[in-house]
Amino acid sequence: MVPNFNSIGSLVSAEYFSVLTDDDEYEAHFVETAMACFTQHPCLGFVACSAPTKVHGVIVKNQMDSWREGFYRANTTVLRCLSGQYPLVTNCLFKAETAADFVFHEDLGNASDGMLLTCAFSKYDAYVSKVVTGYWNNDHENASTLNRADPVLLVDRAIREARHYTAFCRKNGIFRRGMLLLWLKRILTVLVAADQSGFAHVREATEMNGSFSPPTIALLWILDRLKLIRLFLKGLPLLRRLNKSWIAWCES
């Protein structure tokens, strides 16, 4: 799958392009909706449309609930992407000029779409449309769901995402926003993984020794002993509901 995605850049011959996977779908008005945004804002690098998640045909969530519709200047919304609230890549329409940056990193596997979009939002102007133009059919048998529960993959992915984002910003001369958030994300991911499979196992099986200093690893061990991550995970759904309510209130 990843090599197929990475062949897209060399295959683009039109002014716009998109990618569709076997568990996603478009509504008939996807291109029309996105093109209307390009017409209104010619400077855009891409348009991200709304695509709720379905489980066995029932809508269960929408990543775009944390976004307000509108124009986003480059590098102004990276924090939202780094926190995991990025659009569905298959319901984005990209300009050909972005093709060179349409990269899925091998070491992130199928989860590289989040980093791809984070980098795209950091480099290009974008428009977010709240019009539903498609769906992700997550019936719990796809690679994203099957890999999500692996604590080792979770930790290594968080570490590698920070590395790739830093490299992309340096290469393109982009101010690196969200570095504190990336550090916190790595900390929380280690604590979640350690709570699931043990701190010693996570330390031995992941790349955390090369990512954290010895004092930080000692602090992580203490935090794991205190099990504070369980309190954070209990409060996380409340924070998400509050953010969703705030966005809805702003749009009303």
Side-chain angles (χ1 to χ4, degrees):
M1 180 173 65
V2 172
N4 284 341
F5 283 146
N6 285 334
S7 70
I8 289 175
S10 62
L11 297 174
V12 174
S13 59
E15 189 175 352
Y16 303 92
F17 72 96
S18 63
V19 56
L20 183 66
T21 59
D22 62 348
D23 52 8
D24 299 327
E25 58 184 288
Y26 292 136
E27 293 283 9
H29 56 268
F30 164 60
V31 173
E32 179 184 1
T33 300
M35 287 305 302
C37 300
F38 279 114
T39 300
Q40 185 179 3
H41 302 279
C43 65
L44 298 177
F46 67 103
V47 173
C49 298
S50 181
T53 300
K54 286 183 179 179
V55 175
H56 303 301
V58 178
I59 295 176
V60 295
K61 68 174 184 177
N62 190 338
Q63 288 282 89
M64 305 305 284
D65 285 343
S66 64
W67 292 75
R68 297 177 64 181
E69 173 152 351
F71 172 82
Y72 289 86
R73 184 69 65 186
N75 209 23
T76 59
T77 186
V78 170
L79 291 176
R80 190 175 284 112
C81 292
L82 290 176
S83 66
Q85 298 301 309
Y86 47 83
L88 192 68
V89 69
T90 53
N91 269 253
C92 295
L93 188 63
F94 298 87
K95 267 189 179 174
E97 67 189 63
T98 69
D101 295 312
F102 197 87
V103 176
F104 276 67
H105 296 284
E106 294 279 355
D107 60 352
L108 296 180
N110 61 289
S112 187
D113 56 332
M115 182 49 50
L116 185 157
L117 287 167
T118 299
C119 293
F121 273 107
S122 69
K123 184 175 180 179
Y124 300 100
D125 293 342
Y127 192 94
V128 169
S129 171
K130 298 297 284 287
V131 176
V132 174
T133 62
Y135 301 92
W136 174 31
N137 296 297
N138 182 10
D139 294 334
H140 304 301
E141 295 179 353
N142 53 42
S144 300
T145 303
L146 295 174
N147 290 335
R148 186 173 296 154
D150 189 321
V152 172
L153 284 178
L154 286 174
V155 172
D156 284 346
R157 188 175 296 150
I159 292 171
R160 293 165 184 170
E161 282 178 346
R163 186 185 308 144
H164 288 305
Y165 175 65
T166 299
F168 182 85
C169 290
R170 285 176 177 169
K171 176 183 176 181
N172 291 280
I174 298 171
F175 176 73
R176 284 176 287 168
R177 298 182 183 274
M179 297 309 295
L180 177 60
L181 178 59
L182 277 172
W183 180 83
L184 182 61
K185 185 177 180 179
R186 282 177 287 170
I187 292 290
L188 294 175
T189 304
V190 167
L191 293 176
V192 169
D195 193 48
Q196 294 175 355
S197 60
F199 188 86
H201 171 69
V202 171
R203 182 175 181 179
E204 293 171 3
T206 69
E207 300 174 12
M208 64 176 292
N209 282 329
S211 180
F212 298 107
S213 64
T216 302
I217 292 176
L219 175 61
L220 286 168
W221 180 83
I222 294 172
L223 293 174
D224 176 60
R225 296 296 94 190
L226 295 174
K227 300 301 179 185
L228 296 178
I229 192 63
R230 297 180 182 179
L231 294 176
F232 173 80
L233 293 177
K234 288 182 178 180
L236 190 58
L238 176 60
L239 292 175
R240 288 174 175 168
R241 287 196 297 270
L242 289 174
N243 182 59
K244 182 178 177 180
S245 298
W246 169 252
I247 296 297
W249 181 83
C250 291
E251 293 181 334
S252 63

